[in-house]
Amino acid sequence: MATAPRYWRENPSRYNMVGIKCNSCGRHFFPPRAICPVCHRKSVGKIEITKLKGEGKIFSFTEVQEGLEELSLQRPYIVALVELTEGARVTGQIIDCEACDLTIGTPVRATLRKLSEEGPSGVIHYGYKFVPIKEKAP
Amino acid sequence: MKVGIVSYGAYIPRYRITPEEIGKVWGVDGKSMSKGLMINCKSVPSPDEDTITISVEAARNMMRRCGVSPKEIGALYVGSESHPYAVKPTGTIVAEAIEAAPHLTVADYEFACKAGTAAIQTCMGLVGSGMVKYGVAIGADTSQGAPGDALEFSASAGGAAFLIGSEKIIATIDNTYSFTTDTPDFWRREGQMYPRHGGRFTGEPAYFKHVLAGAKGLMERMKSTSKDYTYAVFHQPNGKFPSRVAKQLGFADAQIKSGLLAPMIGNTYSGAVPLGLAAILDEAKAGDRILAVAYGSGAGSDAFDITVTQEIESYARGKAPTVKELNTNLKFLDYATYAKFRGKILLGGE
Ligand SMILES: [Zn+2]
């Protein structure tokens, strides 16, 4: 189970929401990819590595009862498709809230949490999850 | 050169458990335990939180409040007794997550509950000598007590981060003094899951002796008295110890109230004085003077004399949550869920 090197290469995007901007059509994508899925060949040489703000709103969400083994301690957990301010859509876990507190459009921001561990002696993987942004108390 | 705090940030997990709930399971009178310790509830990390995620969140809150580029950070130290890895530094992940890597020096510190303040002292030296422009000092923990042990009623989770520098200082650190002896009041051997402690031995010859010596040593050097400080914060393994030590040093309740978080969140170990100091900075005004004394078993104390500057008036405190705000959106756990969250239930298959 030597997945550590693969995870390690993806750490910048996983920790800090580093994605890409296609300078042909202006769209942002996350996670980073070599060419724009819309412009294809036209985007060659026009892909720019960009840090996304990590803020957005819930596009759609669901509560998972029977899911990933590594999230068994957090069951039931919430997974959402988040539309980032830059327009890219990303799937992520929504934490520190109950499903009943959420609606389509709830503003969220990325935070760093443990994603999984390779057993008790293996590498711990960290990455983004999303928390609802609270209205600031007056 | 004046050295001090340029920015700060805090983080506390949202989950809580009460001493009554813990006591119910172990046949202990939780209500009187709560009263005796002066702890109403303690914070509990979610299964996906650890010292690394708490440090990152605190450090990001610190960066949100200031205009400093992370590339100007030359040193980063994380003090904790619950680093997720025995070998593999917490600080490397924190440095990467705030985009301070790779051109900086990083190390993890360990000195029971005062590892975070030891990190502040190191950063003061590095900044003061001109070796680095900014240094980050973090104190964070997700501490555990053995099931049923007295420590289980208090050991909690949280942390705070401080950006130490010499420009745009919101609070100068006027002086620091440490008092260190070889005292076996609390320990955890390599490979052991839970710490052990010397029971009653942890009070007088350990906590009180070192905190008093640290505070008195610093005040002698500064020719100050308790009356010279607006605020004081002491290490808080519970609510009772810091209240007693404050009284012995001549501090009034009003001076320690703002930084006394143990009643609401328990003992955050390396996060305790850093979080208390953060709560004070959340409300402090220019000219306020703060005495902060951290204690670490083993044993030692780090005392700091801090003065809030004019810079705090234009500092963007509101760009990150205050300690009070972090103490909202709470969710209280029953003991079974708490035990599951903290890995106290042995799961099959491993
Ligand atoms: Zn494109």
Side-chain angles (χ1 to χ4, degrees):
Chain A
M1 277 244 302
T3 57
R6 181 176 65 83
Y7 262 88
W8 172 70
R9 276 193 298 274
E10 294 168 1
N11 276 350
S13 72
R14 226 187 282 278
Y15 290 178
N16 287 315
M17 306 233 56
V18 174
I20 56 152
K21 183 182 177 194
C22 167
N23 282 321
S24 168
C25 66
R27 288 183 175 90
H28 288 84
F29 297 96
F30 183 89
R33 54 198 83 186
I35 59 162
C36 172
V38 178
C39 307
H40 304 288
R41 251 163 42 114
K42 268 196 347 199
S43 70
V44 173
K46 290 177 177 166
I47 298 296
E48 191 187 331
I49 301 289
T50 311
K51 190 192 169 200
L52 306 173
K53 274 182 69 191
E55 287 177 11
K57 52 185 199 287
I58 291 181
F59 182 76
S60 182
F61 71 99
T62 182
E63 192 173 55
V64 181
Q65 308 290 335
E66 289 283 336
L68 297 168
E69 179 66 31
E70 55 259 38
L71 293 177
S72 60
L73 291 180
Q74 295 167 62
R75 256 182 273 167
Y77 60 90
I78 305 160
V79 171
L81 191 57
V82 171
E83 187 169 278
L84 300 173
T85 333
E86 294 87 352
R89 280 181 196 164
V90 44
T91 307
Q93 192 186 338
I94 310 289
I95 49 168
D96 283 4
C97 64
E98 320 308 321
C100 59
D101 300 335
L102 300 177
T103 56
I104 306 295
T106 297
V108 293
R109 75 171 172 81
T111 183
L112 190 91
R113 290 288 175 101
K114 258 195 299 193
L115 299 178
S116 62
E117 309 180 21
E118 295 182 6
S121 65
V123 170
I124 308 167
H125 300 297
Y126 296 91
Y128 59 86
K129 294 188 179 184
F130 293 94
V131 285
I133 300 174
K134 273 169 275 168
E135 305 269 309
K136 219 156 157 85
Chain B
M1 190 198 297
K2 280 210 162 159
V3 174
I5 299 164
V6 177
S7 188
Y8 71 98
Y11 181 74
I12 306 164
R14 75 182 290 226
Y15 296 100
R16 298 285 183 276
I17 189 167
T18 62
E20 285 90 332
E21 180 63 26
I22 298 170
K24 236 168 34 190
V25 173
W26 298 109
V28 174
D29 181 356
K31 233 190 191 97
S32 68
M33 198 74 160
S34 168
K35 232 180 115 193
L37 292 170
M38 281 174 67
I39 290 177
N40 301 321
C41 61
K42 67 163 194 169
S43 60
V44 179
S46 160
D48 61 358
E49 291 184 296
D50 61 16
T51 292
I52 289 176
T53 64
I54 290 171
S55 299
V56 168
E57 195 67 5
R60 283 179 174 170
N61 281 337
M62 169 192 85
M63 295 307 286
R64 280 184 187 113
R65 286 182 167 135
C66 66
V68 171
S69 159
K71 299 295 174 214
E72 290 189 287
I73 294 168
L76 185 146
Y77 300 97
V78 184
S80 179
E81 62 112 65
S82 51
H83 293 290
Y85 289 97
V87 179
K88 161 86 179 100
T90 297
T92 55
I93 297 167
V94 180
E96 194 76 60
I98 61 168
E99 298 174 284
H103 304 293
L104 81 167
T105 176
V106 167
D108 285 0
Y109 274 0
E110 188 271 317
F111 193 143
C113 301
K114 77 162 194 75
T117 50
I120 293 179
Q121 291 175 326
T122 306
C123 288
M124 287 172 66
L126 292 174
V127 170
S129 67
M131 267 181 75
V132 305
K133 188 164 183 199
Y134 295 103
V136 175
I138 301 170
D141 258 311
T142 55
S143 299
Q144 293 252 45
D149 187 86
L151 274 178
E152 200 186 19
F153 291 86
S154 58
S156 67
F162 296 88
L163 186 65
I164 306 298
S166 59
E167 290 169 20
K168 289 189 133 192
I169 301 169
I170 58 164
T172 57
I173 304 176
D174 310 310
N175 203 352
T176 178
Y177 167 77
S178 293
F179 182 84
T180 311
T181 71
D182 174 17
T183 308
D185 57 326
F186 174 95
W187 61 91
R188 178 167 63 83
R189 292 278 300 274
E190 187 69 39
Q192 293 295 306
M193 185 168 177
Y194 300 112
R196 293 185 52 185
H197 52 86
R200 287 188 180 282
F201 186 51
T202 55
E204 289 307 330
Y207 178 89
F208 288 96
K209 176 179 159 184
H210 292 80
V211 171
L212 289 171
K216 284 178 183 163
L218 181 69
M219 290 198 283
E220 269 163 31
R221 281 160 182 78
M222 296 303 287
K223 298 187 173 43
S224 58
T225 71
S226 61
K227 306 278 173 289
D228 295 319
Y229 299 92
T230 327
Y231 299 99
V233 55
F234 302 99
H235 178 55
Q236 30 201 288
N238 48 54
K240 196 176 69 178
F241 279 21
S243 306
R244 238 173 76 193
V245 94
K247 211 156 271 154
Q248 288 175 23
L249 287 163
F251 287 91
D253 284 350
Q255 287 165 293
I256 64 162
K257 209 179 87 193
S258 301
L260 186 57
L261 307 174
M264 294 164 297
I265 62 172
N267 180 6
T268 52
Y269 284 57
S270 303
V273 160
L275 273 170
L277 182 55
I280 290 170
L281 291 173
D282 281 342
E283 59 171 64
K285 289 187 276 300
D288 285 348
R289 197 166 163 190
I290 306 161
L291 176 75
V293 188
Y295 170 72
S297 291
S301 60
D302 297 332
F304 298 85
D305 192 307
I306 298 166
T307 306
V308 180
T309 71
Q310 277 298 334
E311 203 67 45
I312 199 130
E313 311 296 344
S314 55
Y315 174 67
R317 272 193 277 211
K319 286 209 172 155
T322 62
V323 170
K324 270 205 182 92
E325 285 164 342
L326 289 167
N327 210 26
T328 58
N329 187 34
L330 304 183
K331 187 169 182 187
F332 283 83
L333 303 176
D334 55 29
Y335 191 87
T337 310
Y338 161 74
K340 182 182 82 167
F341 273 23
R342 299 304 283 131
K344 294 184 181 202
I345 298 174
L346 282 179
L347 303 167
E350 270 170 7

